[in-house]
Amino acid sequence: MSSSLNKAGTAVEAGEGVWPVRRRRILDWLVNETRGERFIDNILVEMCEKLLASGVPVARATLHFRMNHPQWIGARILWKEGLAEAKINTFAYGIENTPEFLKSPVNAIHQGAEEVRKQLEDTADDEDSFYQELRDDGLTEYIAWPVEHTFGKRHVATFSTSRPGGFTNEHVDFLRDLLPALTLVSEIRLKNIMARTLLQTYVGPHASEQILSGVTTRGSGATVGAAIMICDLRDFTEISDLWPRDDVIHLLNDYFDAMSDPIERYGGEILKFMGDGLLAIFPLSKDTACHDLLQAIREGQALMAQLNQQYAGSGREPLRYGVGVHVGDVMYGNIGSRRRLDFTVIGPAVNVASRLETLTKEVKRPVLLSRAFVEMADCAKDMDSLGTFPLRGLGEPVDVFAFPER
């Protein structure tokens, strides 16, 4: 089919109007030319720039996604005309019950609406603060549509304009026709994000990167040097027998928050939660690994002290715990059956840390460290030397140190 140039210099296929040609070009770009872009926020920005270049007067656009995340129920990607990058906001659980969300157009879409369209110029007396905010930004019309992913997952796309009179019918048809391609493109990126988020949630950031990069066969992994920390809650069996189930779960979450947040803040990686215990490593590839581990323990102890003060106020016994610390080479990788793998660390160094954690019950000190760790951390002057102890299953006795008693 031959083509000609319109007044703007844009090629127009013979027998076609301007809008179908421009729309097809953006659709072709969405389907065929975004494969190398990992992030949906970058795609949204480029799509909006292409819309403006095609004559669709978009001044604001958003994508709202529900997420599988332990902290966030959803996220909003926001683009405004003139922004080189989109802004991403996350929303905590509970926002779905607020009055602002319940009367929002996003909630209307989630409740089944197929379109929410608001002429902003004609409703200056509207008391809705959301629409008033759009008016204050100089916008004249707002449209929201559902973005339907597989298995009934409904998300939301919105477009706004500052054009006097709002969008024309051609503009609206143009935008609506992009939704199927935008749905496809966004679902792929969202699933990538969800896969990464879920892996990070359940196996930690470093292990998740290893798995996503293809380290998925049994026995695959590497030997790494690491400072190892094993922590365990005392008297948990008795607590779980006597306390109501929901109280036990709440207690465990409080305890893990107190011990885990400092570990992650100082660059440690929690490889697993084991009932009422956890296993974490600080790779020695970072020069400050041993110092970071000590700081994480100190802050964890401070948070546990605060938690026990709260428990004392409600008449509960304080929580006690034991921590064993060692340093050495560990095998870091996939171990398990043919179909069920665990990304973890094993080796004699892990066994020493585990035995030291058990020894805390005998010596009545909450944190025990091996001489090997203390020497590498150069912290002997700050610790109490408790002597040499034989550890079950290990050939040589181990010199043991403890945090000073206060």
Side-chain angles (χ1 to χ4, degrees):
M1 181 180 291
S2 63
S3 64
S4 60
L5 294 178
N6 62 11
K7 291 181 180 179
T10 303
V12 180
E13 299 293 342
E16 288 193 71
V18 172
W19 291 115
V21 173
R22 295 177 180 178
R23 180 166 56 243
R24 189 172 67 236
R25 284 180 178 155
I26 296 182
L27 285 170
D28 287 345
W29 168 78
L30 274 171
V31 174
N32 298 315
E33 298 180 33
T34 59
R35 296 170 185 165
E37 178 53 67
R38 293 173 56 189
F39 303 111
I40 187 61
D41 54 312
N42 293 335
I43 293 174
L44 177 66
V45 171
E46 191 169 353
M47 184 185 76
C48 290
E49 290 172 348
K50 289 181 180 296
L51 285 168
L52 284 172
S54 296
V56 181
V58 174
R60 180 185 186 273
T62 64
L63 292 173
H64 301 253
F65 295 115
R66 291 290 183 113
M67 302 165 62
N68 288 330
H69 192 280
Q71 289 179 275
W72 316 117
I73 190 174
R76 181 191 68 176
I77 303 172
L78 167 67
W79 171 87
K80 291 183 178 181
E81 187 175 3
L83 290 182
E85 296 182 354
K87 294 182 179 180
I88 302 176
N89 301 102
T90 52
F91 300 96
Y93 289 91
I95 192 174
E96 72 276 17
N97 299 318
T98 62
E100 293 79 11
F101 179 81
L102 290 173
K103 64 181 181 180
S104 71
V106 171
N107 183 51
I109 297 294
H110 281 301
Q111 295 304 313
E114 294 301 323
E115 177 181 276
V116 175
R117 187 170 180 181
K118 186 76 169 178
Q119 291 288 343
L120 301 173
E121 289 177 310
D122 301 334
T123 53
D125 59 343
D126 193 331
E127 296 180 359
D128 190 293
S129 59
F130 170 71
Y131 291 125
Q132 187 57 51
E133 182 181 331
L134 297 183
R135 278 192 211 94
D136 293 342
D137 285 343
L139 300 174
T140 57
E141 185 172 5
Y142 169 93
I143 303 176
W145 287 304
V147 175
E148 302 278 5
H149 287 181
T150 51
F151 300 110
K153 300 291 185 181
R154 176 172 272 214
H155 309 283
V156 182
T158 81
F159 299 94
S160 302
T161 184
S162 56
R163 175 184 176 275
F167 290 116
T168 66
N169 291 334
E170 288 84 1
H171 298 150
V172 174
D173 291 341
F174 194 121
L175 293 169
R176 187 185 286 112
D177 287 346
L178 295 182
L179 287 177
L182 182 61
T183 296
L184 227 91
V185 168
S186 64
E187 178 159 22
I188 293 168
R189 273 70 184 182
L190 190 61
K191 286 189 181 298
N192 289 342
I193 293 171
M194 286 183 176
R196 187 177 301 274
T197 299
L198 289 172
L199 280 172
Q200 288 177 346
T201 300
Y202 285 97
V203 302
H206 183 72
S208 68
E209 290 301 322
Q210 294 288 308
I211 294 168
L212 288 170
S213 66
V215 183
T216 56
T217 58
R218 184 167 60 165
S220 59
T223 298
V224 298
I228 306 140
M229 170 184 171
I230 292 180
C231 181
D232 193 65
L233 188 65
R234 296 286 171 258
D235 305 319
F236 180 69
T237 301
E238 180 180 349
I239 291 171
S240 59
D241 286 342
L242 298 177
W243 287 30
R245 181 202 62 185
D246 290 348
D247 288 351
V248 172
I249 293 173
H250 184 69
L251 175 148
L252 279 176
N253 288 335
D254 286 344
Y255 153 66
F256 282 133
D257 277 346
M259 301 304 293
S260 300
D261 287 353
I263 292 172
E264 294 177 333
R265 187 160 55 251
Y266 283 97
E269 182 165 5
I270 300 168
L271 293 176
K272 62 174 61 182
F273 294 103
M274 306 167 289
D276 59 331
L278 66 84
L279 165 64
I281 63 169
F282 290 72
L284 297 180
S285 55
K286 186 179 180 182
D287 293 340
T288 59
C290 292
H291 177 266
D292 292 340
L293 186 150
L294 291 173
Q295 287 297 105
I297 291 177
R298 291 189 180 102
E299 289 194 15
Q301 286 188 300
L303 291 171
M304 285 296 294
Q306 294 176 16
L307 180 61
N308 280 331
Q309 284 183 344
Q310 297 174 18
Y311 279 12
S314 59
R316 292 179 174 177
E317 292 294 320
L319 299 178
R320 299 184 301 112
Y321 55 90
V323 179
V325 177
H326 187 50
V327 66
D329 289 340
V330 295
M331 187 280 191
Y332 182 68
N334 282 307
I335 300 164
S337 67
R338 292 184 182 89
R339 297 185 180 180
R340 177 66 173 87
L341 298 175
D342 187 16
F343 209 97
T344 188
V345 291
I346 60 170
V350 180
N351 297 337
V352 172
S354 177
R355 301 295 185 268
L356 288 172
E357 181 276 314
T358 302
L359 186 64
T360 61
K361 303 174 187 177
E362 179 182 333
V363 300
K364 309 301 182 185
R365 301 290 283 270
V367 181
L368 297 182
L369 313 98
S370 68
R371 175 177 290 279
F373 175 87
V374 167
E375 289 180 349
M376 182 169 286
D378 192 23
C379 63
K381 63 182 181 298
D382 301 320
M383 301 295 167
D384 292 341
S385 175
L386 303 186
T388 302
F389 291 81
L391 300 180
R392 182 175 59 84
L394 303 177
E396 296 293 328
V398 174
D399 293 338
V400 177
F401 293 77
F403 276 24
E405 291 186 308
R406 296 178 180 178

